[in-house]
Amino acid sequence: MSELRFEGVTVRYGRALTAVDGVDLTVPAGQVVGLVGESGSGKSTLARAAVGLAEPAGGQILLNDVPLHHRPGARRPLQMVFQDPYSSLDPRMTIGDSIAEAMPRGPREPRGPSRRDEVVRLLELVGLDADRVSAYPGALSGGQRQRVAIARALAGKPEVLIADEITSALDVSIQGTVLNLVRTLQRELRLSMLFISHNLAVVRYVSDIVAVMYLGRIVEVGPARDVLGNPQHPYTKELLAAAPRRGSTALPPPDEALVADAEPADPHHPPVGCRFHPRCPIGPLIRTDREHCLTLDPTAEADHRLHRAACHHAAGVLRAVGSNPPVLMQLKEDSQ
Ligand SMILES: Nc1ncnc2c1ncn2[C@@H]1O[C@H](COP(=O)(O)OP(=O)(O)OP(=O)(O)O)[C@@H](O)[C@H]1O
Ligand SMILES: [Mg+2]
């Protein structure tokens, strides 16, 4: 089992856009970290940095305390499954060749017939019949293709699996089975996993830890039960309130409705102070006595508590504002 750790990771596109801004995040060995946040918050960019598809401009990514180096041809301990199973498989390659291609090559790796046995084993592991080995992706459904994509990722014998919206392109009817498959495999193979999804119900189902991202930063992180059951950051609360709930037709209270109309965040010009302040229902837009949110960055530095939120006014994760540097106050124990 392996631990993946992001330390102060920053990723830029060109000079103007910082998509990921000094992210600290740990995926503990054998656990699932669910990463949520609105579109454009930088979730995929963080994932791409981990697998070497995006180059960090700052910080480091460590596997078991050792910085990751992505060398061509070397075994890759991190594997990623993408959202779209229609574009992630080469339509001209059979399923078997596609999986075999992802298997590590080396003196101690299987060759010839045993390589084929390994392909069949992987197909069976993801619930596909061995006779699919010579089929082309065009003959498979979206759910079956995603199973192949998972088998391909597992062929690389990863220690960490990164799943980026792996069920969102699938029919609702098969999302559950693919999700169950990933969760079962993660447990059986004792993989560590970074699981990215818009769907909070899905994240709740698979995650041990939940991290919430907003404008390139992690604004709240903690045990899944605490973050989703007792959210501290106003943005997390907004996300949870926006998630569809059966039978709920309640309108937001007037103050919240006001900020919900605020302009969406522009990652090219992130706000100074707290990045969420232009939309915050408990911030300076509503509370004139909270001007410090306009200037003071609440990023929770050197804060190692299990459940923490980067907000000056998060209940239970309070910071004393006005002191320099801000003093962390005692976290109120979650009584649940
Ligand atoms: N290849 C790229 N070139 C330039 N900008 C990019 C590129 N990829 C992403 N971005 C920008 O970086 C920011 C973060 O994008 P990213 O795809 O990481 O967000 P995300 O959280 O995964 O969003 P979504 O939920 O829509 O998948 C966005 O502003 C996006 O427009
Ligand atoms: Mg994305």
Side-chain angles (χ1 to χ4, degrees), residues 219-235:
V219 295
E220 182 159 4
V221 65
R225 200 191 60 150
D226 296 345
V227 173
L228 300 175
N230 184 24
Q232 299 298 317
H233 198 286
Y235 177 63

Side-chain angles (χ1 to χ4, degrees), residues 51 53 70-71 73-79 104 153 156-160:
V51 294
L53 293 173
H70 298 281
R71 283 184 299 273
R75 192 180 81 84
R76 289 191 285 166
L78 276 77
Q79 293 286 333
K157 300 199 175 139
E159 290 157 47
V160 180

Side-chain angles (χ1 to χ4, degrees), residues 13 17 19 38-45 165 198 267:
Y13 292 114
L17 177 62
E38 67 194 25
S39 191
S41 54
K43 307 180 297 296
S44 296
T45 303
E165 300 278 3
H198 272 100

